[in-house]
Amino acid sequence: MVKQLKSVDNNSGQGLLWLFGAVLAIQGFGSAITEAGWDTSFGVAGILRAADVPEWGTFLVGLAGVALLVVAAHRHRTRRRTDRRP
């Protein structure tokens, strides 16, 4: 029973890593591309501009998203390897 609950907690945590990673990557890089191409701010870029963060701040948000996606992929791959072992 405890092992099953632990598995559910890990799965929900893993899902949140994927979700937050994707949201940050899309918002960060999408905002940067939109701002550079159409000279308009939305989402993360709009919030960062209001806080007087430099333009490259949106790229940092995108990179943070990519980092979370890498961590999620690494955990997923590691878990698959350990689940296969008898």
Side-chain angles (χ1 to χ4, degrees), residues 2 4 26 42 74:
V2 173
Q4 185 180 12
I26 291 168
F42 79 100
H74 177 69

Side-chain angles (χ1 to χ4, degrees), residues 39-59:
D39 197 30
T40 184
S41 298
F42 79 100
V44 171
I47 293 169
L48 293 176
R49 288 311 147 260
D52 293 327
V53 174
E55 290 182 18
W56 50 265
T58 54
F59 286 113

Side-chain angles (χ1 to χ4, degrees), residues 2-75:
V2 173
K3 187 175 185 178
Q4 185 180 12
L5 289 176
K6 198 175 206 181
S7 176
V8 170
D9 289 340
N10 287 341
N11 287 339
S12 63
Q14 183 70 18
L16 287 174
L17 275 176
W18 287 111
L19 177 66
F20 288 140
V23 167
L24 288 177
I26 291 168
Q27 277 289 309
F29 292 129
S31 293
I33 291 168
T34 301
E35 192 170 34
W38 292 277
D39 197 30
T40 184
S41 298
F42 79 100
V44 171
I47 293 169
L48 293 176
R49 288 311 147 260
D52 293 327
V53 174
E55 290 182 18
W56 50 265
T58 54
F59 286 113
L60 291 180
V61 172
L63 288 175
V66 169
L68 286 177
L69 290 172
V70 168
V71 168
H74 177 69
R75 285 185 176 185

